[in-house]
């Protein structure tokens, strides 16, 4: 089983790359951002709770996020592995994920961080906002807040996995194909160590 965390700031290309990686490696893609958007669109109770945070670019509380993630993993036990996209975003979430995978006799194989500058992600997000209609991609102040939250709360997640030599930086600048090739190279070397 190979379990990957696709890590990086908002707009670093995680969703785009995850879509290609799941095809190549036949893994289950779990994006907590997509799950929240699904719940908000369908106006579920969870969606109503999440909305007040997502619309400000704040993190949804761990108690809500971890429960939602756990349900998604539990619903899909028979997979070759998972690609976690946009999760974990706090050390508390990372510890909960480690525990959950541990209870299934598995663990995180690698965290791959797509590294992209703040200027580049701001440009990309504003561009994406025009097409996607996502409110949190259209407002520079919300984007700034998401970058701040990433630096303060989420970067420590990479350090958590760096301590056990499982965190890798991948240059996120370049064409989709170039970045994909870099990620695949990294994943192949991780696979070689666990097979
Ligand atoms: P994303 O599409 O991954 O950028 O997520 C959009 C928004 O959903 C974020 O700005 C947060 O408000 C919320 N969100 C997504 N994943 C998480 C998470 N792991 N923890 C807390 N909030 C999250």
């Amino acid at each position: 089983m190979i379990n990957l965390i696709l890590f990086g700031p908002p707009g670093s290309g995680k969703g785009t790359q995850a879509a290609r990686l799941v095809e190549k490696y036949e893994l289950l893609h779990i994006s907590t951002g997509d799950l929240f958007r699904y719940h908000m669109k369908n106006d579920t109770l969870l969606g109503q709770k999440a909305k007040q945070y997502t619309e400000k670019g704040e993190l949804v509380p761990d108690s809500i996020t971890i429960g939602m993630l756990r349900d998604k993993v539990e619903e899909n036990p028979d997979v070759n592995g998972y690609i976690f996209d946009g999760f974990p975003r706090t050390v508390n979430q990372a510890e909960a994920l480690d525990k959950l995978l541990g209870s299934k006799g598995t663990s995180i194989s690698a965290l791959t961080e797509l590294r992209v500058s703040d200027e580049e992600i701001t440009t990309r997000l504003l561009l994406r906002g025009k097409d996607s209609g996502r409110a949190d991609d259209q407002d520079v102040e919300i984007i700034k807040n998401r970058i701040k939250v990433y630096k303060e709360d989420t970067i420590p997640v990479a350090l958590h996995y760096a301590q056990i030599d499982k965190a890798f930086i991948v240059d996120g600048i370049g064409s989709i194909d170039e970045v994909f090739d870099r990620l695949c190279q990294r994943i192949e070397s991780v696979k070689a160590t666990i097979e």
Side-chain angles (χ1 to χ4, degrees):
M1 202 168 183
I2 177 156
N3 301 306
L4 302 171
I5 296 173
L6 200 49
F7 194 78
S12 55
K14 300 188 295 294
T16 306
Q17 295 297 338
R20 300 189 61 171
L21 290 171
V22 289
E23 227 174 90
K24 176 163 174 155
Y25 293 102
E26 298 182 324
L27 304 171
L28 180 75
H29 178 205
I30 303 184
S31 156
T32 43
D34 285 351
L35 288 173
F36 283 131
R37 279 184 287 281
Y38 171 84
H39 280 281
M40 290 186 292
K41 197 169 157 224
N42 290 286
D43 202 26
T44 67
L45 191 60
L46 197 154
Q48 289 168 9
K49 284 187 197 157
K51 194 165 187 279
Q52 55 189 304
Y53 302 97
T54 58
E55 65 188 11
K56 286 188 242 140
E58 299 286 345
L59 293 184
V60 178
D62 284 347
S63 53
I64 300 175
T65 308
I66 292 168
M68 179 179 76
L69 185 283
R70 189 180 296 129
D71 288 349
K72 192 75 189 169
V73 169
E74 300 287 3
E75 278 164 23
N76 295 278
D78 299 321
V79 294
N80 295 328
Y82 303 94
I83 293 192
F84 299 101
D85 162 5
F87 185 95
R89 262 174 153 101
T90 63
V91 171
N92 192 27
Q93 290 180 13
E95 286 170 352
L97 179 63
D98 293 344
K99 228 189 231 172
L100 176 65
L101 294 179
S103 73
K104 302 186 177 312
T106 186
S107 61
I108 288 298
S109 315
L111 171 152
T112 50
E113 173 187 342
L114 291 174
R115 193 156 281 185
V116 181
S117 69
D118 292 359
E119 296 69 36
E120 173 73 16
I121 57 178
T122 307
T123 310
R124 287 189 192 179
L125 287 173
L126 288 170
L127 206 65
R128 183 171 80 181
K130 282 190 191 156
D131 286 338
S132 71
R134 267 181 68 171
D136 59 345
D137 283 347
Q138 295 180 15
D139 182 319
V140 177
E141 288 312 310
I142 298 177
I143 291 175
K144 271 194 198 152
N145 193 39
R146 287 160 72 199
I147 295 173
K148 178 171 167 275
V149 168
Y150 175 74
K151 289 186 177 161
E152 287 174 4
D153 297 332
T154 305
I155 296 256
V157 171
L159 304 178
H160 172 85
Y161 290 102
Q163 279 168 1
I164 48 169
D165 292 330
K166 291 202 171 161
F168 306 94
I169 294 167
V170 172
D171 181 1
I173 301 282
S175 69
I176 292 175
D177 283 344
E178 281 164 348
V179 176
F180 182 66
D181 287 345
R182 287 179 206 136
L183 278 168
C184 290
Q185 270 177 27
R186 175 49 69 191
I187 293 167
E188 290 303 330
S189 49
V190 168
K191 275 182 78 181
T193 63
I194 55 177
E195 278 170 359

